[in-house]
Amino acid sequence: MLNYVLSRILTFVPTFIGVTLISFGFIRVLPGDPIIVMAGERGLSQERYDQLSRQFGFDRPIYSQFWDYFVGVLHGDLGISFVTKKPVWDEFFALFPATLELSVCAMVFAVVLGLPAGVIAAVNRGKFFDRALMSSALVGYSMPIFWWALLLIIVFSGNLGWTPVSGRIDLIYYFKDSTGFMLIDSLASGQKGAFTSAVRHLILPSIVLGTIPLAVIARQTRSAMLEVLGEDYIRTARAKGLAPVRINGIHALRNALIPVVTVIGLSVGTLLAGAILTETIFSWPGIGKWMVDSIFRRDYPVVQGGLLLIAVMVMIVNLTVDMLYGVINPKIRKR
Amino acid sequence: MSLKTTIATGLLLAAIGASTAAAQSLVYCSEGSPEGFDPALYTAGTTFDASSHPIYDHLAEFKVGTTEVVPGLAESWDISEDGKTVTFKLRKGVKFHANDQFTPTRDFNADDVIFSFDRQGNPENPYNQVSGGTWEYYAGMSMPELVESIEKVDDYTVVFHLTRPEAPFIANMAMDFASIVSKEYADAMMQAGTPEMLNQAPIGTGPFVFQVYQKDAVIRYLRNDEYWGDKAKVESLIFAITPDASVRYQKVQAGECHVMAYPNPADVQAMKDDPSIVVMEQEGLNVGYLAYNTKVAPYDNPKVRKALNMAIDKQAIIDVVFQGSGQIAKNPIPPTMWSYNEAIQDDAYDPEAARKMLEDEGVSDLTMKIWAMPVQRPYNPNARRMAELMQEDFAKVGVKVEIVSYEWGEYLDRSKALDRDGAVLLGWTGDNGDPDNFLAVLLGCDGVGASNRAQWCYQPFDDLIQKAKVLPTQQERAALYEEAQNLFKEQAPWATIAHSVVFMTMRPEVEGYVVHPLGGHIFNQVGLAQ
């Protein structure tokens, strides 16, 4: 197992260097000079332009800029945002807990509903429930996030008044965020009603963000289960007279999990992509919106630092998924 | 009193206290996050709403709801006869805010004024390079060339020595970049090794004290009970950052916000029909235009430009692109600005006459480019759509149009080129309510190759605006600007398209909100009905 873990971690190194290079190059390939974007319609003199160019280091050759950036990254320095003038690292970690909290809740929503739905659909293959579920999954997968979000807000927040429209907590609650995770901070604050408010604020964004992964997980679980249910050992189990719950829930599901776990791992990337829209609509202060704003403003340090950190997060998730394969299927770790 | 009664009374008092506190918090659903809290470093209105207006004061202030300049931290000012020396008499007894890291030991004085400008203009000032030190507005308003020196006469008298007379100078002192910061706080933070706190934990003299900013989520302010002027009507002010306009609308409906900015034009009618929502509107201090390149044939001929202007159906643009939230522009300055020339007749939409004029000038089979901005602005919510409408209009007079667009930074840069191929859609939002800020910046000879996208240098026009810049009274200046607008219309370097209409949406309990013509959202005197 140790060898397996080490070999997975070693693949990190070239990927990390590649990601650093891509994140550095990506924003520079886009047309648009950050200094000119910053000055806007008002423009600026050539002298001022040159001064800022020197200040930001744009007057130096590109390889030398990259080298400085790379050395900075190795020392844990991702640079300072051109716009807010704060370290990228600080900004990322101020916002990341919000994205993580939302993504985890969305994933829990997707897994808790998606797994059983897929299993039930597979067991009832071709019946009404199966068809209804797979059609809903297709609709869920195809729905534009912004439309789905606005629809839910209008119905549940506007017309019914069940959930708040947007934000992370009611504005009457004010406490210092020690962890950045609103569920934890609101509990720790001891303020009455704060935790409930935080939960209520999480409901709609989690549903919106979790909808696509939910659809994907349900469909993937169903097809993986169908494959496994046709195996000989399942027939043997049935012949032995095992209870259907035991057959489907333990023998079949465990073997069907590998592709499902893969899909869940891959969905992390989807979640981060979906978070951009979800965060904008629900005024959720996370990294999705932060990245988009920075791309529009050509805020090089934020874009390259943010991309790098997100890529590292996705790499960690993939590594975890690889480890989970080993746990689920002992044959893999022995390879 | 039994324990039960005590608890019940306590809970009741707490409930009353809570509801009063809630009633005294004004929640504004803002459209975006501030870039920082030092207004001199930035140019975005969203940043000024969160910094310059609630936290800081200026030597002079714009009277809310007008572009009139009134005394602020300076009680009065005196301009010398040659217009090159401006003496400010400062207000006494003005207190700076305090925060966890800093408690002021003295009142506001001349040192703060000098520091506030010196850090922007003097590269030797230790704060000049802090926080990126970009000072765009200071440079944009030509302050480095204009201000020769700033002299402290005594603690409450400051003299600005200028290199030339400049009538808009006092209005410049009311602008956001001229916010007065505390030198004592700056020194303390420099000593503590955290000079960036000036931008992150701001200290000003304004009606609200900055409390906390939770990035991209909420900004909280408390009323400044020591404020020298009229104290704020609410105890606390909260900015709930809500980027999506439809969501802001829902939040106002649900009572989660009291005031919101920038509704979707498509929602305005529904808002007006909703009795639980109040909609205010005012013409924005801006103009959207199509600038021809007057250096390139055939657009160097004013008659050709005039003919093209007559081919544009502006009403269709207002209906389709602005969806009613705009008005036709006939002058290069907006109608709310002093010196606006009402008497000018706009070029009538007349494709037939336009076609004939082009023929008379020997222009046939003309193919031109129209540049469409890739971004949305109040003066042009959808440049691509606007360009398409113009393409159809020009086709009717035999002119073929190719629409081009570039990424925003490229667009701004390339459109400055003297040999640019094509006419550019762009616009401008006023900074200080002075016509010079439109006419000189956008149409003066100095701006050719830069902010003058028409590359139009017409000496009679330039003479008028240069002369108007140094005249002492508004009346004298207005006469010259009115004349300049006549020349502009006659020469037609632009097709003036539209001025936007700004809408503000709020709940009925909001009292005293005034739409500010300079575009800021100011809550100093806004209250909530009980």
Side-chain angles (χ1 to χ4, degrees):
Chain A
M1 184 71 183
L2 189 65
N3 280 346
Y4 174 69
V5 173
L6 279 178
S7 72
R8 304 310 304 173
I9 290 177
L10 270 182
T11 59
F12 238 69
V13 178
T15 318
F16 180 79
I17 296 173
V19 165
T20 317
L21 198 61
I22 290 170
S23 62
F24 180 86
F26 160 73
I27 185 75
R28 280 165 177 79
V29 170
L30 291 183
D33 183 320
I35 299 175
I36 289 170
V37 171
M38 218 181 326
E41 286 98 325
R42 272 157 193 85
L44 76 178
S45 66
Q46 188 59 41
E47 189 191 358
R48 186 95 198 113
Y49 179 88
D50 295 341
Q51 192 186 344
L52 289 175
S53 190
R54 268 195 306 280
Q55 198 174 322
F56 294 141
F58 297 158
D59 56 337
R60 289 182 298 119
I62 195 92
Y63 57 84
S64 136
Q65 290 180 46
F66 176 72
W67 180 248
D68 284 359
Y69 169 63
F70 190 69
V71 171
V73 168
L74 292 182
H75 286 87
D77 173 15
L78 293 174
I80 290 185
S81 159
F82 291 162
V83 177
T84 65
K85 329 289 183 195
K86 285 185 179 173
V88 174
W89 195 257
D90 291 3
E91 294 218 316
F92 182 84
F93 283 102
L95 298 172
F96 185 64
T99 300
L100 187 61
E101 188 171 61
L102 176 58
S103 303
V104 168
C105 290
M107 195 45 103
V108 168
F109 164 77
V111 172
V112 165
L113 290 186
L115 264 186
V119 172
I120 298 172
V123 172
N124 297 292
R125 186 185 183 182
K127 294 189 187 154
F128 173 76
F129 182 82
D130 179 30
R131 284 164 198 263
L133 198 84
M134 287 306 109
S135 313
S136 317
L138 188 66
V139 172
Y141 188 70
S142 331
M143 211 147 36
I145 285 188
F146 66 91
W147 179 82
W148 179 223
L150 282 178
L151 186 78
L152 289 182
I153 289 177
I154 290 170
V155 174
F156 291 102
S157 310
N159 297 346
L160 299 171
W162 290 355
T163 52
V165 179
S166 74
R168 290 183 81 192
I169 194 160
D170 279 343
L171 293 169
I172 51 166
Y173 300 108
Y174 169 51
F175 39 82
K176 264 203 142 60
D177 31 324
S178 34
T179 64
F181 296 98
M182 195 54 88
L183 291 177
I184 299 173
D185 290 345
S186 59
L187 257 186
S189 75
Q191 290 184 28
K192 200 167 168 265
F195 180 72
T196 321
S197 171
V199 172
R200 279 162 45 84
H201 279 80
L202 260 168
I203 296 172
L204 289 191
S206 302
I207 293 177
V208 168
L209 188 57
T211 299
I212 292 179
L214 165 66
V216 175
I217 291 170
R219 288 172 68 92
Q220 186 64 47
T221 310
R222 178 182 176 270
S223 69
M225 278 292 286
L226 284 178
E227 208 169 298
V228 174
L229 286 176
E231 298 280 340
D232 289 347
Y233 68 90
I234 297 289
R235 202 170 34 235
T236 314
R238 281 203 189 109
K240 272 167 63 187
L242 279 186
V245 174
R246 210 173 151 76
I247 299 172
N248 297 328
I250 297 179
H251 292 276
L253 185 60
R254 179 157 184 184
N255 285 297
L257 268 184
I258 293 261
V260 176
V261 169
T262 311
V263 162
I264 294 174
L266 289 176
S267 295
V268 173
T270 319
L271 278 185
L272 289 175
I276 294 168
L277 279 174
T278 315
E279 286 175 3
T280 306
I281 293 172
F282 287 99
S283 322
W284 198 266
I287 53 167
K289 199 182 146 292
W290 175 66
M291 288 295 293
V292 173
D293 286 350
S294 310
I295 293 173
F296 282 126
R297 287 166 173 167
R298 298 291 183 274
D299 193 344
Y300 287 2
V302 170
V303 177
Q304 62 204 23
L307 273 180
L308 181 67
L309 288 170
I310 291 172
V312 169
M313 297 291 164
V314 173
M315 280 154 67
I316 292 173
V317 171
N318 281 341
L319 183 72
T320 316
V321 169
D322 283 353
M323 305 283 143
L324 274 179
Y325 290 164
V327 175
I328 297 168
N329 186 350
K331 271 201 256 170
I332 290 180
R333 70 183 107 130
K334 283 186 191 138
R335 246 179 242 161
Chain B
M1 204 186 282
S2 70
L3 181 65
K4 224 174 180 179
T5 325
T6 313
I7 293 173
T9 315
L11 284 176
L12 184 68
L13 285 175
I16 294 169
S19 68
T20 313
Q24 288 178 333
S25 290
L26 180 77
V27 182
Y28 166 57
C29 267
S30 63
E31 72 288 359
S33 309
E35 297 147 303
F37 291 91
D38 183 350
L41 287 170
Y42 302 105
T43 57
T46 309
T47 300
F48 297 153
D49 285 345
S51 58
S52 168
H53 303 314
I55 302 170
Y56 295 103
D57 288 316
H58 315 81
L59 289 178
E61 300 286 349
F62 293 112
K63 191 173 169 187
V64 178
T66 71
T67 54
E68 186 192 336
V69 179
V70 294
L73 288 178
E75 280 179 325
S76 64
W77 48 82
D78 183 54
I79 304 170
S80 67
E81 265 196 20
D82 67 356
K84 286 161 70 173
T85 310
V86 185
T87 309
F88 289 98
K89 287 279 177 201
L90 307 183
R91 198 174 289 279
K92 291 178 180 158
V94 176
K95 311 272 182 223
F96 275 104
H97 309 153
N99 63 16
D100 291 348
Q101 296 100 36
F102 171 75
T103 307
T105 60
R106 62 163 177 82
D107 288 351
F108 151 78
N109 68 23
D111 292 333
D112 302 311
V113 176
I114 292 175
F115 171 73
S116 297
F117 293 98
D118 190 60
R119 71 193 181 118
Q120 300 186 55
N122 175 12
E124 306 300 316
N125 187 302
Y127 267 91
N128 190 260
Q129 296 304 318
V130 168
S131 297
T134 34
W135 321 118
E136 300 307 334
Y137 252 117
Y138 188 81
M141 301 310 290
S142 307
M143 295 292 280
E145 302 88 57
L146 181 63
V147 178
E148 194 172 78
S149 63
I150 310 174
E151 178 196 347
K152 172 182 173 179
V153 177
D154 59 49
D155 269 358
Y156 293 97
T157 312
V158 177
V159 180
F160 282 71
H161 297 283
L162 308 182
T163 54
R164 57 169 194 263
E166 174 100 348
F169 180 73
I170 300 294
N172 289 356
M173 291 295 102
M175 284 175 62
D176 305 282
F177 80 88
S179 296
I180 301 298
V181 296
S182 162
K183 180 175 191 300
E184 196 189 2
Y185 179 50
D187 289 345
M189 290 303 106
M190 187 58 91
Q191 212 165 17
T194 54
E196 66 282 359
M197 293 310 276
L198 204 66
N199 184 27
Q200 291 169 18
I203 292 280
T205 55
F208 287 99
V209 180
F210 173 82
Q211 195 184 9
V212 71
Y213 170 43
Q214 289 159 309
K215 190 169 166 55
D216 291 348
V218 181
I219 316 168
R220 291 172 188 269
Y221 309 87
L222 295 175
R223 176 168 60 204
N224 177 6
D225 286 321
E226 294 189 314
Y227 190 53
W228 56 270
D230 292 333
K231 292 185 181 47
K233 299 247 188 305
V234 288
E235 242 166 43
S236 69
L237 173 66
I238 301 174
F239 280 32
I241 298 165
T242 315
D244 190 278
S246 310
V247 176
R248 286 201 293 278
Y249 177 24
Q250 290 293 328
K251 279 177 87 89
V252 173
Q253 277 188 317
E256 290 179 29
C257 296
H258 296 109
V259 185
M260 67 168 272
Y262 307 112
N264 279 329
D267 289 336
V268 170
Q269 196 49 51
M271 289 173 171
K272 286 181 176 168
D273 296 341
D274 184 342
S276 67
I277 284 181
V278 176
V279 181
M280 287 186 181
E281 62 180 85
Q282 188 177 41
E283 294 96 349
L285 199 78
N286 56 35
V287 62
Y289 59 80
L290 176 77
Y292 303 104
N293 186 351
T294 58
K295 291 243 180 289
V296 173
Y299 314 101
D300 53 349
N301 177 352
K303 287 187 180 155
V304 172
R305 303 194 296 253
K306 201 83 177 160
L308 290 171
N309 284 0
M310 287 164 65
I312 300 174
D313 183 358
K314 293 187 196 176
Q315 191 54 51
I317 291 177
I318 297 293
D319 295 342
V320 175
V321 178
F322 287 84
Q323 298 183 32
S325 64
Q327 63 174 130
I328 290 178
K330 62 178 181 180
N331 288 333
I333 60 172
T336 44
M337 185 169 263
W338 58 269
S339 84
Y340 180 79
N341 193 335
E342 283 287 359
I344 281 177
Q345 289 289 319
D346 200 11
D347 304 311
Y349 169 57
D350 188 347
E352 274 314 305
R355 180 189 281 271
K356 186 161 181 317
M357 263 174 91
L358 287 174
E359 276 168 15
D360 291 348
E361 294 308 309
V363 175
S364 57
D365 293 332
L366 181 64
T367 302
M368 70 182 287
K369 284 183 181 158
I370 289 184
W371 293 38
M373 302 145 53
V375 293
Q376 214 181 20
R377 284 290 183 271
Y379 54 72
N380 193 339
N382 187 344
R384 164 67 61 168
R385 189 79 191 97
M386 192 184 278
E388 286 165 0
L389 291 175
M390 288 179 173
Q391 190 178 36
E392 284 171 31
D393 288 339
F394 285 168
K396 288 181 198 152
V397 298
V399 176
K400 270 193 209 140
V401 168
E402 183 194 342
I403 299 171
V404 294
S405 190
Y406 300 95
E407 180 282 329
W408 186 222
E410 286 286 301
Y411 189 94
L412 291 169
D413 197 29
R414 291 186 188 210
S415 58
K416 284 185 206 157
L418 291 175
D419 59 350
R420 182 193 70 226
D421 180 15
V424 165
L425 283 174
L426 208 62
W428 185 259
T429 301
D431 298 312
N432 57 8
D434 198 290
D436 178 74
N437 182 235
F438 280 73
L439 299 176
V441 175
L442 305 177
L443 295 157
C445 290
D446 289 347
V448 170
S451 54
N452 183 343
R453 295 311 204 277
Q455 319 298 3
W456 183 66
C457 177
Y458 185 59
Q459 214 52 52
F461 177 91
D462 204 57
D463 291 346
L464 280 175
I465 56 168
Q466 292 304 336
K467 200 169 153 199
K469 204 175 191 150
V470 297
L471 286 177
T473 69
Q474 198 179 89
Q475 208 180 356
E476 289 169 274
R477 297 178 65 207
L480 299 191
Y481 288 134
E482 283 179 28
E483 181 51 28
Q485 287 167 69
N486 278 326
L487 294 181
F488 169 87
K489 203 71 205 172
E490 183 189 297
Q491 291 290 315
W494 297 348
T496 48
I497 312 290
H499 309 291
S500 78
V501 174
V502 177
F503 293 99
M504 277 304 279
T505 308
M506 60 202 77
R507 295 188 59 82
E509 62 265 31
V510 176
E511 291 177 336
Y513 188 85
V514 179
V515 184
H516 193 45
L518 285 164
H521 302 107
I522 304 172
F523 302 99
N524 304 357
Q525 289 304 307
V526 180
L528 292 171
Q530 292 297 320

